[in-house]
Amino acid sequence: MNLMKYFKPNKVFYIFVTTMLLISCSSESKSSDPFSSADELTKSSENKSSNIDNTSKNSSNKLNILYSDPPTLDPHIAQDSTSAGIILELYSGLVSLNTDLKIVPDLAESWTISEDGMQYIFKLRDNAKFHDGKKITANDFLWSFTRASSPSTVSITAEDYLGDIIGVRDVIKGDSEVISGIKVIDDLTLQINIDSPKAYFLAKLTYPVAFVLDKENLKEANWMDKPNGSGPFILDEYLIGEKLVLKRNLNWHKPPAKLEYVSMNLAGGSAMAMYENGEIDITGVGMADLERVLDPDNILNKDVVVAPFDFSQYYIGFNMEKPPFDDIFFRQALAYAINKELIASEVLSDLVKPAYGILPPGFPGYDEKIQGLQHSEILAKESLSKSKYSDISSLPRIILSVPGTGGSAGLDIEVILEMWKQTLGIEVEIQQVEWATFLQMLNKKDLQFFSGLGWIADYPDPENFLDINFHSKKSTNHNNYNNPKVDDLLESARIERDVQTRLDMYNQAEKIIVEESPWIPLWFPGDRYVLINQRVKNYKLTPMSVPKYSLVEIVE
């Protein structure tokens, strides 16, 4: 999943770097769906199906959080963690990730895999239903995979997440209207054939583009006003820029959620003030409040929870086809000039861990031996002198694009720009772009270089960081990075069945990528502090976006 906007974050969850929250209650800029017309977006909706309990929205059995308007509620075009945080509660797929990041059955109760690893047969639950009570069948999945792959859907993620299925790429290219690798055996049995054995294929099916949609629901012009999903919650109300309310689904194929409502405040405001006033139940702790919240004598201290490392990275990305970033030495010079340790300690209060590689600590394949381009003013100046842009007086205009609609681009970014100026004499302009527009420009590769965002894993496999972002043929390779040796390693790792050999291939690819610097890795979120009201039980802080509100309980 996922890009994350990091003032903070999306994966991407949009999180502001000054607070470095990696939970979905962070404040974000308002945005609209980049793939739909404005009238397709939900303005307000109220599902009156008979399967919904009629408890008042003023019920105390409600989780209150601060959130941001999702760019879309369509699983097949979503590519950010803000959208995903809601979509994961409204819809379901064949399989899911639980809060321990293990693949578990969802609408499929079981599956078998052929000996050659290329055929999957899924058995659907007999009680799998859409929100309106209609039974979900294998044909619904076939239609949904086809719809996600259709050129008319304009999915940014279908090829990367479904492209292993035989025939999906033919549909995406418009060469076929039928996915040849998917066969409906009967109402409850679905067969999927992939092009080669891939260890991560099941994990990819946990991504929203693989979720089932109701064909009849999508015949309605404004279907996202009342999405007939299959997840633990139903969209009860959505007022853009004001609030979004989820209500529990009593037709869910698992035991119904204990929560009656999840109420998301979209209007913004001071998260800490709202928490202390009892308006929201969860908030991250920013630098300004860290000292007092960690004081054992402070009343808030009892609510402090230390969040786990997030499987994400905040970075600066270069478009390697736009000068001066077509020059490796120029990119390396910028990387060497950044004193990440100083910024992490003095600017960000050690709420982040400096990043020198791509894979986060604790993530499968993480290699602590990758040193990356450590801060060195000497090496920065040497690299610049080797660059074809060594004469900085003749540099083209350099514009760093970041998501936002006003205010600061982030204190860390401002410090980095000053380091470039002081060490290399290079001056950079900041361009702020509204989030949905930023995503559009990023996908079209229109940006010269960019930051203010990060990547958060969609599933725990190095393919989801390295292949997705750096293989030359991936649509999510926003850098125009192209290295045939890296492509060979990534392609070999896709089908390698020995775990250690496969991880070694990823480590080799990562070392090359880091050296060539299509990204400057900046931060891995370190220890982060979150306040959770004592009335909220079983709220799991996870290093990735997973469905979890159905587990939460309110105890007054």
Side-chain angles (χ1 to χ4, degrees), residues 499-512:
V499 174
Q500 190 55 55
T501 301
R502 185 168 178 266
L503 294 180
D504 288 343
M505 291 174 179
Y506 283 122
N507 291 154
Q508 293 176 55
E510 183 180 13
K511 289 174 184 175
I512 298 171

Side-chain angles (χ1 to χ4, degrees), residues 15-55:
I15 306 173
F16 288 84
V17 73
T18 53
T19 59
M20 293 309 296
L21 311 183
L22 282 170
I23 57 177
S24 57
C25 63
S26 60
S27 177
E28 307 163 6
S29 62
K30 308 297 184 293
S31 59
S32 61
D33 183 354
F35 306 107
S36 302
S37 60
D39 62 352
E40 287 179 308
L41 272 175
T42 307
K43 292 182 175 60
S44 66
S45 64
E46 195 166 332
N47 193 325
K48 297 181 173 64
S49 300
S50 60
N51 66 304
I52 311 174
D53 50 335
N54 293 314
T55 313

Side-chain angles (χ1 to χ4, degrees), residues 304-510:
V304 172
V305 178
V306 180
F309 281 106
D310 198 78
F311 289 157
S312 68
Q313 179 178 142
Y314 179 44
Y315 63 91
I316 294 172
F318 301 112
N319 187 332
M320 295 172 59
E321 292 185 357
K322 292 185 181 290
F325 305 118
D326 56 339
D327 185 281
I328 184 174
F329 296 112
F330 190 85
R331 299 192 303 271
Q332 289 176 338
L334 295 182
Y336 281 126
I338 301 174
N339 189 336
K340 300 175 190 176
E341 303 292 335
L342 177 66
I343 296 173
S345 175
E346 301 299 324
V347 178
L348 300 176
S349 300
D350 289 318
L351 291 174
V352 298
K353 177 181 176 64
Y356 296 98
I358 306 298
L359 299 179
F363 197 77
Y366 172 71
D367 184 358
E368 62 182 9
K369 297 189 293 295
I370 292 180
Q371 296 299 308
L373 306 184
Q374 304 276 339
H375 173 245
S376 169
E377 291 189 6
I378 294 174
L379 292 177
K381 292 174 181 178
E382 285 183 0
S383 295
L384 182 61
S385 69
K386 296 176 184 177
S387 166
K388 63 183 179 182
Y389 301 104
S390 57
D391 180 6
I392 62 171
S393 65
S394 60
L395 275 176
R397 186 182 180 194
I398 302 178
I399 301 174
L400 176 66
S401 299
V402 299
T405 54
S408 171
L411 186 55
D412 59 335
I413 292 297
E414 293 177 358
V415 173
I416 287 170
L417 266 56
E418 185 62 25
M419 288 177 172
W420 287 341
K421 181 178 179 180
Q422 294 296 328
T423 303
L424 301 171
I426 294 172
E427 298 201 34
V428 174
E429 300 175 43
I430 291 287
Q431 170 185 259
Q432 288 193 326
V433 184
E434 186 271 331
W435 177 238
T437 304
F438 182 91
L439 287 178
Q440 286 181 311
M441 296 179 71
L442 192 69
N443 291 329
K444 293 178 181 178
K445 303 182 182 180
D446 287 340
L447 304 176
Q448 186 186 30
F449 81 132
F450 45 88
S451 192
L453 80 167
W455 182 264
I456 184 168
D458 304 306
Y459 45 89
D461 190 284
E463 183 268 351
N464 190 237
F465 268 93
L466 300 172
D467 200 323
I468 288 287
N469 287 299
F470 300 106
H471 189 281
S472 64
K473 301 301 183 184
K474 292 291 187 180
S475 63
T476 38
N477 177 354
H478 300 122
N479 308 88
N480 284 312
Y481 178 69
N482 188 343
N483 184 312
K485 184 175 181 180
V486 169
D487 281 355
D488 287 344
L489 285 166
L490 296 176
E491 289 166 13
S492 297
R494 291 174 187 171
I495 59 175
E496 177 56 54
R497 305 186 81 171
D498 180 80
V499 174
Q500 190 55 55
T501 301
R502 185 168 178 266
L503 294 180
D504 288 343
M505 291 174 179
Y506 283 122
N507 291 154
Q508 293 176 55
E510 183 180 13

